[in-house]
Amino acid sequence: MTHPAATLVPFARMNGIGNEILVVDLRGVGGRVTPDAARALAARAETRFDQIMAIQAPRMEGTDAHIRILNSDGSEAEACGNGTRCVVQALGSETGQKSFRFEIAGRLVAAEEHGDGTVSVDMGAPLFGWRDIPLSEEFADTRAIELQVGPIDAPVLHSPAVVSIGNPHAVFWVDNDVWSYALDRFGPILENHPLFPERCNITIAAVTSRNAMTIRTWERGAGLTRACGSAACAAAVAAARTRRTGRAVEVTLPGGRLRIDWREVDDHIVMTGPAEWEWSGRLDPATGDFERDAPEVASA
């Protein structure tokens, strides 16, 4: 139950191809969603989420909002493409606006909703330098680094590509079905491997054609997820960089499909996909206590 003196703010439970998102509106209120509140919300079946997108008043000129991202373990994330699409849809339904510019983790992120309801997010340019990802030791070529799972003479996974999409990613290439690997077992080990000082998102990727691939991701701070937009971007960029695909690919994730275009003109990655509203309510950003909005009563 929410304390009577608590300040409640609007939020919506949404998803981006199965990536469970809570969009929390802190504009005009200030403050922030606390790690304790995030963990409390994640612990309840009704509000379980992968990321919280906390919308705050803009701090930078020319932006529509400042967004902070929290994982389900209360840690902060630097990027969430699926969540950004949810924010665009939520704000767009409120204002009718179609194009937005956000400040997220010090980066400018542009996004646009299309007539068919899909949203494109400019995820910026990828970073490949070992310090930028970051890694704890030097690798001259981050298209394939020395890291493996399983016996030395017969590894289950090995030689991932690593890249930063504002957050760190490791992409392991496989020939078999991505569902045939125990990602729930080795995902947390690799996420916390000493090679990754800021932890890492771990993806298994199977390229199916020059313009298509299938992936599964263990998401840093959230665990197994039905979709991770930045992981789709990382896999697409890594595939193009290693000449497995072209620069435009369709990425199939457990929750659905995303279109990823790595533009040559400016090196930016553009991710396009849908977002879905589920229900709304109000919550206490300090504790995570919440109440659902009453469902609309259909007119006779």
Side-chain angles (χ1 to χ4, degrees), residues 31-228:
R32 57 177 52 196
V33 178
T34 66
D36 285 345
R39 288 188 288 266
L41 288 161
R44 302 185 184 105
E46 199 173 13
T47 52
R48 188 171 295 132
F49 67 89
D50 296 311
Q51 276 76 40
I52 287 175
M53 307 294 289
I55 308 173
Q56 300 174 308
R59 305 187 306 180
M60 298 176 63
E61 185 177 353
T63 62
D64 297 286
H66 170 225
I67 298 175
R68 289 180 62 241
I69 306 170
L70 281 83
N71 296 314
S72 56
D73 68 354
S75 63
E76 291 204 36
E78 301 90 349
C80 180
N82 289 322
T84 303
R85 294 202 313 278
C86 290
V87 171
V88 168
Q89 189 181 89
L91 295 182
S93 65
E94 172 189 303
T95 65
Q97 188 173 334
K98 296 297 183 183
S99 298
F100 295 87
R101 283 169 59 85
F102 303 122
E103 176 197 352
I104 303 177
R107 291 157 49 116
L108 289 177
V109 177
E112 180 178 4
E113 185 172 6
H114 305 294
D116 63 358
T118 61
V119 177
S120 291
V121 180
D122 183 341
M123 300 290 287
L127 299 176
F128 303 116
W130 70 274
R131 290 187 180 89
D132 299 319
I133 292 169
L135 304 177
S136 60
E137 61 183 84
E138 180 177 356
F139 285 90
D141 188 352
T142 53
R143 289 175 295 184
I145 66 168
E146 295 175 17
L147 180 63
Q148 66 181 45
V149 176
I152 293 177
D153 56 346
V156 177
L157 299 172
H158 64 90
S159 308
V162 287
V163 56
S164 172
I165 311 293
N167 54 0
H169 289 267
V171 181
F172 289 89
W173 307 109
V174 298
D175 296 322
N176 300 327
D177 185 349
V178 295
W179 290 95
S180 66
Y181 296 85
L183 186 55
D184 59 333
R185 191 169 73 242
F186 57 74
I189 297 172
L190 291 170
E191 174 193 352
N192 294 284
H193 192 282
L195 188 57
F196 306 116
E198 295 181 8
R199 299 187 292 165
C200 194
N201 298 281
I202 307 300
T203 294
I204 303 170
V207 173
T208 54
S209 76
R210 285 290 299 170
N211 57 7
M213 68 173 65
T214 300
I215 71 170
R216 288 177 67 213
T217 296
W218 176 273
E219 195 165 8
R220 181 186 61 163
L224 286 177
T225 179
R226 294 186 65 202
C228 178

Side-chain angles (χ1 to χ4, degrees), residues 12-16 19-23 51 53 80 82-83 86:
R13 181 179 172 87
M14 303 182 69
N15 78 80
N19 196 176
E20 295 293 350
I21 304 295
L22 299 184
V23 177
Q51 276 76 40
M53 307 294 289
C80 180
N82 289 322
C86 290

